[in-house]
Amino acid sequence: MSLLDSINKENDIKKLSPDCMEQLAGEIREFILESVSKNGGHLASNLGAVEITMALHRCMDLPQDKIIYDVGHQSYTHKILTGRKEEFYKLRRFGGMSGFPKKSESDCDAFNTGHSSTSISALVGMAMAKELNGTNEKLCAVIGDGSMTGGMVYEALQQMSQVSTSCLIVLNDNEMSISKNVGGVSKSLSKFRIGRPYNELKSGIEKTLLNIPEVGYKMAKGIKRSKDSLKNLIVPDNMFNDLGVTYIGPIDGHDVNVMTEIFNNAFDLNRPVIVHVKTKKGKGYRLAERYPEHFHGVGPFNPETGRSLKVKTAATNTDVFARSLIEIGTKNEKVVAITAAMAHGTGIRAFQKVFPDRTFDVGIAEQHALTFAAGLASSGCIPVVALYSSFLQRAYDQLLHDICLQKLHVVICIDRSGIVGEDGETHMGIYDTSYLREMPGLEIIAPKGEKELEDAMDYAVNTATGPVAIKYTKGVAYSDLNDKNVQFLSGHSEVINFEKTVGNKNLKSIALLAVGSMVETAVKVRDKISSEYDYEPELINLRFIKPLDLDRIRETMNGFDLVCILEENVRRGSVGEEIGYIKATEGLSADIMHFCIDTETVQQGAVSKLKEELGLDAESIYNKVIEAARYEEKA
């Protein structure tokens, strides 16, 4: 019987001897590797955080005590130790377990996460509530060093100095060193500084001195000054201490028993403590240790070779963007590229290899990225900012205030627009049309496929003079209509012509208006109608979400009985909602069918499965269109 078999619910790990921790850590790593290799997920970060989580679970009582995992990329061990290991075969699948912490999934998940740099703010909120409520639960945030590049962290740390109750921040440093590692001296001093005997003695001496009339305060202050001077000779001061938060470390993040002791002592203090731990990202799996970025987020793969089980057969939209950016950048030296810690995921890495001096990775700081781009644009550069759709949300004000209101020529390339898939609700790009359409002066393009994405990039950089957003989905770039590309003009749609145009007496006349990725789906719907009814609806690629091709929309609405709008966005604020408004205010004649996302959130699962559930697959759309378009048979 393995040690992991004895862990079936929260707090079971406390039943094991400290001598068993190394073996249990190895079994957890094997379990994570096996699960992720089958289902995909975040591998390297979870392998590196195994012992941290074990140590926290050894000294905390769940679910009463609270652990907040920043982003959530490090929470797999936490899920395993809280009775969910039997659910890992459904990790990230539709109806299965989320790859991120979810309060709805377990009472042991204290806070829903998915985006970076939020954990310390949540921790401060919980600590303040703890003071107000007079409770005594233990509170901890686990944050990776990458998340420390997000400005929100420092806003939270600034307020943390106001917290007067115990709470713990575990800083998982797997890449950079925040302060010099002074080895055994630092480790021993760290354990001493937060040990109970030392702190009780220190507190007692300070109280005694402060009670001495006239000279007591000066004596206490002098001793504290000399103590701090001695400490700083051994452990250099840092920003955490300057912010009034006790800093401990760095310590070995793969030694469960040492961390358990230090965490326990930290929780005994009546103040915030940051414990800086050093870990190896991808630990225990040779390939992930060597290539941690590649194994950060992966699909199913062969654990022996590390190779993906999904054979890549065609270029993705990200590949097309990267290729186009290099080509455009080669011809136009004013073009610079910006990303926010997603150089590989967005395709910026390819441009960086060719033009390192014109590429800027600003860290997890989307707000800064856009205002930085505004500064570049105001000085004559043409910045191309590549972000995931769900991450762009965090820079709404900068897009409005710093770019759009100043009418600056910034190109924003929005990857992972639409339904993303296995990462779930926090990563879905299903809101961008709604919040972008209200931006003054912003042109928004939704290319239908490979060739049009290339044309959109060329237009945005070399023709447009103001802000432009280009949005495209994750996955393979659609290429079947590469030969169908009319001249690329602002605010102009594209009618994709087909051979059969004769109507069918059994059907009302139909027009399909598709946005971006839904053009591919509309083609499948059109082909099925053509096959079944010998009639081809008119197919229009809207191309520009803003400005809309109002002339084409009015012409279509007055020329067809049924106009079907297809888009991967929530209904509120969508293109279809705008067209419905135009119909109502202008008295246009066609009936409208709007195929979009009617739910406010979308859970994880394969994109194809999610589209079926949402009624956005070709078969579902075809059935509803035919039902609405078929004339009722007369008795």
Side-chain angles (χ1 to χ4, degrees), residues 38-339:
K38 293 177 180 177
N39 298 302
H42 293 97
L43 183 62
S45 51
N46 278 295
L47 292 178
V50 171
E51 287 89 356
I52 292 173
T53 303
M54 291 170 60
L56 287 171
H57 279 246
R58 295 275 289 176
C59 58
M60 300 178 77
D61 293 316
L62 301 176
Q64 175 185 336
D65 298 335
K66 312 296 182 186
I67 306 174
I68 308 165
Y69 286 91
D70 203 276
V71 184
H73 290 161
Q74 305 174 74
S75 64
Y76 287 8
T77 300
H78 169 76
K79 288 175 181 263
I80 292 168
L81 296 178
T82 51
R84 285 173 275 179
K85 66 176 184 287
E86 302 302 327
E87 300 298 313
F88 259 76
Y89 77 96
K90 295 189 293 185
L91 178 67
R92 291 160 44 90
R93 294 183 183 178
F94 180 76
M97 189 170 67
S98 171
F100 298 94
K102 284 283 182 291
K103 293 170 67 177
S104 60
E105 188 178 287
S106 171
D107 290 340
C108 296
D109 290 357
F111 197 80
N112 290 3
T113 51
H115 289 184
S116 172
S117 311
T118 64
S119 61
I120 300 179
S121 294
L123 179 70
V124 174
M126 291 182 182
M128 291 294 189
K130 174 182 171 181
E131 293 182 33
L132 292 171
N133 297 333
T135 53
N136 63 352
E137 66 272 15
K138 296 176 182 177
L139 303 173
C140 175
V142 180
I143 184 168
D145 53 10
S147 294
M148 298 298 290
T149 63
M152 188 174 173
V153 166
Y154 303 97
E155 296 173 23
L157 284 171
Q158 178 174 283
Q159 189 184 2
M160 180 156 277
S161 62
Q162 302 172 24
V163 174
S164 57
T165 187
S166 67
C167 58
L168 171 65
I169 299 171
V170 178
L171 173 55
N172 180 8
D173 176 3
N174 56 32
E175 188 173 18
M176 63 181 185
S177 180
I178 293 172
S179 65
K180 291 183 179 180
N181 188 343
V182 290
V185 174
S186 173
K187 179 177 176 181
S188 299
L189 184 64
S190 296
K191 293 169 68 175
F192 175 69
R193 286 182 61 211
I194 62 172
R196 180 175 295 169
Y198 165 74
N199 280 277
E200 288 179 351
L201 175 63
K202 186 184 78 163
S203 178
I205 291 173
E206 288 178 351
K207 288 179 180 178
T208 300
L209 290 174
L210 290 174
N211 286 330
I212 300 175
E214 297 184 10
V215 298
Y217 174 77
K218 292 181 180 180
M219 292 174 64
K221 187 176 180 181
I223 290 174
K224 182 179 187 305
R225 188 185 300 115
S226 63
K227 174 185 72 71
D228 287 343
S229 299
L230 176 62
K231 178 197 69 177
N232 290 334
L233 287 174
I234 304 173
V235 180
D237 212 347
N238 56 58
M239 61 182 176
F240 302 119
N241 290 326
D242 292 341
L243 289 168
V245 181
T246 300
Y247 168 86
I248 304 300
I251 63 173
D252 183 358
H254 297 300
D255 190 325
V256 175
N257 296 323
V258 167
M259 283 189 291
T260 300
E261 181 183 353
I262 289 178
F263 294 163
N264 270 323
N265 289 333
F267 281 127
D268 285 341
L269 299 181
N270 216 22
R271 61 181 182 268
V273 177
I274 290 178
V275 177
H276 174 189
V277 301
K278 298 280 289 183
T279 62
K280 179 72 173 177
K281 194 169 185 178
K283 182 174 174 61
Y285 180 47
R286 177 180 55 84
L287 294 173
E289 289 182 8
R290 186 173 182 182
Y291 306 106
E293 185 176 11
H294 175 77
F295 285 96
H296 170 70
V298 293
F301 67 97
N302 183 334
E304 296 296 325
T305 64
R307 293 180 179 175
S308 173
L309 297 180
K310 294 182 179 180
V311 179
K312 185 176 177 180
T313 57
T316 64
N317 283 314
T318 304
D319 294 335
V320 175
F321 158 75
R323 184 178 69 212
S324 300
L325 183 60
I326 292 172
E327 183 178 344
I328 290 169
T330 302
K331 298 176 182 177
N332 190 336
E333 62 183 16
K334 292 184 178 181
V335 173
V336 296
I338 302 170
T339 186

Side-chain angles (χ1 to χ4, degrees), residues 385-603:
V385 187
L387 301 170
Y388 285 4
S389 174
S390 59
F391 298 165
L392 175 61
Q393 293 162 183
R394 295 187 284 186
Y396 183 95
D397 182 63
Q398 286 69 28
L399 178 58
L400 170 64
H401 184 276
D402 299 330
I403 294 176
C404 291
L405 290 182
Q406 297 191 77
K407 302 177 182 178
L408 293 173
H409 187 194
V410 176
V411 180
I412 304 162
C413 294
I414 307 170
D415 205 326
R416 271 63 165 178
S417 181
I419 300 169
V420 172
E422 289 82 356
D423 279 338
E425 59 185 347
T426 56
H427 286 60
M428 294 293 173
I430 60 176
Y431 311 103
D432 50 27
T433 292
S434 301
Y435 68 77
L436 290 173
R437 283 185 55 251
E438 301 308 316
M439 292 288 172
L442 177 68
E443 291 186 275
I444 311 168
I445 307 170
K448 67 177 182 292
E450 181 179 12
K451 180 63 169 63
E452 196 160 89
L453 176 52
E454 294 173 351
D455 291 345
M457 289 286 294
D458 181 69
Y459 167 84
V461 171
N462 297 317
T463 301
T465 57
V468 182
I470 306 171
K471 58 193 242 68
Y472 43 91
T473 57
K474 178 182 180 180
V476 173
Y478 184 54
S479 60
D480 285 0
L481 294 177
N482 277 351
D483 60 331
K484 303 288 186 181
N485 281 281
V486 300
Q487 186 177 4
F488 209 100
L489 299 173
S490 177
H492 282 66
S493 60
E494 173 191 39
V495 176
I496 301 174
N497 299 312
F498 301 106
E499 296 178 2
K500 299 178 183 178
T501 57
V502 179
N504 185 298
K505 64 181 181 179
N506 297 317
L507 294 178
K508 298 174 184 178
S509 57
I510 304 167
L512 304 173
L513 273 65
V515 178
S517 61
M518 293 302 287
V519 171
E520 180 179 1
T521 303
V523 168
K524 294 176 181 177
V525 174
R526 182 264 306 178
D527 288 347
K528 191 166 179 62
I529 294 174
S530 174
S531 174
E532 297 292 332
Y533 290 90
D534 196 33
Y535 166 69
E536 286 187 350
E538 182 161 286
L539 177 54
I540 298 172
N541 165 29
L542 280 175
R543 183 183 277 170
F544 274 83
I545 292 175
K546 183 184 179 187
L548 286 172
D549 190 343
L550 296 179
D551 290 341
R552 179 77 66 190
I553 289 171
R554 293 187 181 104
E555 177 185 329
T556 304
M557 294 290 291
N558 283 326
F560 290 84
D561 298 320
L562 181 64
V563 175
C564 305
I565 305 157
L566 289 66
E567 57 182 318
E568 272 187 65
N569 197 82
V570 293
R571 185 177 297 276
R572 190 62 60 89
S574 63
V575 171
E577 187 178 68
E578 176 68 14
I579 293 176
Y581 175 79
I582 294 169
K583 167 184 163 62
T585 55
E586 298 186 16
L588 303 178
S589 60
D591 291 330
I592 291 179
M593 293 191 75
H594 187 196
F595 296 94
C596 62
I597 298 172
D598 281 318
T599 60
E600 292 184 348
T601 60
V602 176
Q603 302 302 313

